[in-house]
Amino acid sequence: QVQLVESGGGSVQTGGSLRLSCTASEYAWGPYCLGWFRQAPGKVREGVAVIASNGRAAYPGSVKGRFTASRDNSKNMLYLEMNSLRPEDSGTYYCAAEVVSCSYLSTRANHWGQGTQVTVSS
């Protein structure tokens, strides 16, 4: 069974940075689109980054220029570098594999991690 595991969440102040990581066991995700999504309490899940198998990434306007997704297929690792964090970036962050349409608008994927909490205080 495919398991995705996120790490790197935590609490930071506005303007701070965090780096999230995601790895998968028993699964070679090289050919697939991966993504990062987040969900705040009372809000719907939203995509913050998708990254295709060739490493090309896409971001919504709310995080573009602040967040950077990257992947290392040789290590089965996915990363999300988050800079200039804002309180509205707080939420549970999930990594996903085989993102439908490889779009951050999709929020549908075949495999999901359990999530890691990010809290940004003002």
Side-chain angles (χ1 to χ4, degrees), residues 10-16 85-88 90 118-122:
S11 297
V12 296
Q13 293 187 327
T14 298
L85 283 163
R86 306 166 181 169
E88 55 264 37
S90 297
V118 171
T119 303
V120 185
S121 58
S122 57

Side-chain angles (χ1 to χ4, degrees), residues 6 11 22 68 91 96 100 110 115:
E6 303 96 339
S11 297
C22 174
T68 303
V100 173
N110 286 338

Side-chain angles (χ1 to χ4, degrees), residues 20-38:
L20 306 183
S21 300
C22 174
T23 189
S25 60
E26 305 296 327
Y27 177 53
W29 65 19
Y32 302 112
C33 179
L34 308 177
W36 287 100
F37 298 80
R38 68 186 180 192

Side-chain angles (χ1 to χ4, degrees), residues 57-81:
Y59 312 88
S62 57
V63 306
K64 195 171 186 179
R66 301 188 297 121
F67 289 14
T68 303
S70 60
R71 62 193 291 173
D72 185 339
N73 292 335
S74 66
K75 298 180 180 179
N76 243 31
M77 292 296 298
L78 172 68
Y79 305 99
L80 184 68
E81 187 76 36

